[in-house]
Amino acid sequence: MMELEILASGYGLVEGPRVDEQDRLYFSDVVLGGLYRRSPSGSVEDLIPGRKHIGGMAFNEGGGLVFCGKGGLAAWDEKTRTVRDIVTHFEGKPLQFNDMTPDDQGSIYAGIFGYDPFAHPRPDPAPGALFRIDPPGKMVLLWDGIELSNGLGLSPDRKLLYHSDSGTDTVWVYDVMPDRTLKDRRPFAKVPAGVPDGLAVDVEGGVWVAAAMGGQVVHFSSDGTLERQLKVPLDMPSSLVFGGRDLQDLYIVTGDVRYFGEDPIEPPPQAAIYRTRAAVPGLPVPKARF
C-alpha cells in the first residue's frame, strides 16, 4: 500500500519538481509565480520570487538550475542568485516552453506551446513542437505538430524518449538515434482518466505519469502495460519526480483546478505536494551543461 504524506500546500499550479543530492525539493508555481526550494526540515525558500510559467527544470553542471517556460530557456546561478537567458526566440518568434528533460550530453529536450494555454480568455489551440537545445544554446527542431507538450523522460538505455502530449491524451514514445534525432513516434500508453502531464522513469524502464484532471498517478511497465493507479487527494496531479538516497521517494505535485476556470477564486490556493515510496527506484536524471 502506497501511503501519501503531504509536504506542503497553498500553491496554484506546482510544476517542474527536481530533488538534489541534499534531498532538497525544487519546484515552481506556474500561475502564482516563484521557483521554490523545500529543505528536508520542511522550510521553503523562494529562489526566484514572482517568476511565472516555469514548466520544467534540471540541475546544471557546476551548480544552479536550468529552467524553461514562458520567455524561453534560462539558467539560475545559485552563487549570484541571478538568471541568464539561454534561448528566447526561434525563427524570430518568442518561445513558451513547458516541460523538459536533460540527456547525458547535457542538452535539453523541451516542448513548446503553439498558443498560451494560461491566457484568459484561452485562445484557439495551435500545435507546438519538440526541440533539443544543445549547449551553449543551439536549437534543433525534432518534431512538429505536438498539440500540448508535457512531460518528457529518457529510457534507461537512452534509446527511447517518452513524451506526454496532453492534447492527444497520449504518452508517445520515440526512438532516439545515435545522432540524437528522433524517429518512429508511436503511442506508448494512455492514462485511464484525465490527460497525461509530467512523467518520471524508473530503473526498469517503467514510466510513472501524472494524470491531470484524473485525480491519480499511474505506473506503466516498459511495454506500456498499466500496472498501478495511485489516487491523489486533488483532481490535478501535474508532475512527479524520484528522490531520496535510494531514489525510491516519489514526489507528486499538483494544481488547483480553480485556476483553469473563469470563476473568481476564493483564497487560499489549494495545490499541494505529496511524497510516497515506490517499489522500484527512479532512474537518475542527468545534469544540463549550460
Side-chain angles (χ1 to χ4, degrees):
M1 183 71 178
M2 296 178 72
E3 300 285 341
L4 285 178
E5 170 192 8
I6 187 165
L7 300 181
S9 62
Y11 301 97
L13 171 59
V14 183
E15 283 282 11
R18 295 290 182 201
V19 181
D20 69 10
E21 293 91 344
Q22 299 175 55
D23 219 22
R24 298 179 298 183
L25 172 69
Y26 297 72
F27 61 95
S28 67
D29 190 328
V30 172
V31 295
L32 298 182
L35 191 158
Y36 297 90
R37 178 168 63 197
R38 180 193 182 274
S39 73
S41 68
S43 64
V44 177
E45 181 183 5
D46 192 350
L47 303 176
I48 312 178
R51 180 89 181 216
K52 294 184 178 181
H53 302 119
I54 296 175
M57 66 180 89
F59 296 114
N60 206 12
E61 196 74 50
L65 295 163
V66 171
F67 64 88
C68 63
K70 195 171 188 176
L73 181 72
W76 174 77
D77 186 302
E78 178 154 20
K79 292 175 184 173
T80 63
R81 299 294 176 108
T82 56
V83 173
R84 166 177 57 90
D85 286 333
I86 298 168
V87 292
T88 60
H89 290 72
F90 181 71
E91 295 181 344
K93 295 180 181 178
L95 293 165
Q96 184 170 356
F97 286 104
N98 193 16
D99 212 344
M100 53 115 102
T101 194
D103 69 6
D104 293 326
Q105 287 73 34
S107 298
I108 294 290
Y109 290 88
I112 62 166
F113 294 135
Y115 67 104
D116 186 353
F118 303 108
H120 287 285
R122 183 183 273 205
D124 291 336
L130 178 62
F131 289 87
R132 192 185 73 240
I133 304 100
D134 298 332
K138 179 186 176 186
M139 296 273 294
V140 180
L141 177 61
L142 297 175
W143 213 274
D144 266 323
I146 312 298
E147 290 196 19
L148 194 67
S149 184
N150 240 308
L152 290 152
L154 290 159
S155 63
D157 63 6
R158 307 301 197 241
K159 292 182 178 179
L160 300 172
L161 178 70
Y162 301 101
H163 186 194
S164 290
D165 184 349
S166 303
T168 58
D169 297 345
T170 303
V171 180
W172 299 84
V173 61
Y174 311 79
D175 292 327
V176 182
M177 297 293 95
D179 65 357
R180 296 185 296 150
T181 57
L182 304 177
K183 77 168 191 179
D184 193 19
R185 180 181 191 245
R186 57 202 182 272
F188 170 71
K190 285 181 177 280
V191 295
V195 298
D197 203 327
L199 61 80
V201 183
D202 65 33
V203 295
E204 295 180 354
V207 182
W208 282 94
V209 182
M213 312 309 292
Q216 59 184 346
V217 296
V218 297
H219 182 256
F220 299 98
S221 64
S222 59
D223 66 0
T225 302
L226 177 63
E227 289 201 325
R228 180 181 285 273
Q229 297 170 247
L230 176 64
K231 288 194 177 300
V232 178
L234 297 178
D235 286 339
M236 195 171 177
S238 50
S239 193
L240 61 182
V241 69
F242 288 98
R245 188 168 296 177
D246 58 6
L247 287 176
Q248 286 180 260
D249 288 339
L250 184 63
Y251 293 80
I252 300 165
V253 300
T254 64
D256 184 335
V257 296
R258 298 176 301 165
Y259 285 93
F260 295 87
E262 300 296 331
D263 296 330
I265 298 163
E266 290 291 327
Q270 296 172 356
I273 300 169
Y274 304 92
R275 182 172 59 194
T276 186
R277 293 284 290 170
V280 177
L283 188 67
V285 177
K287 289 186 178 180
R289 297 179 192 167
F290 290 89

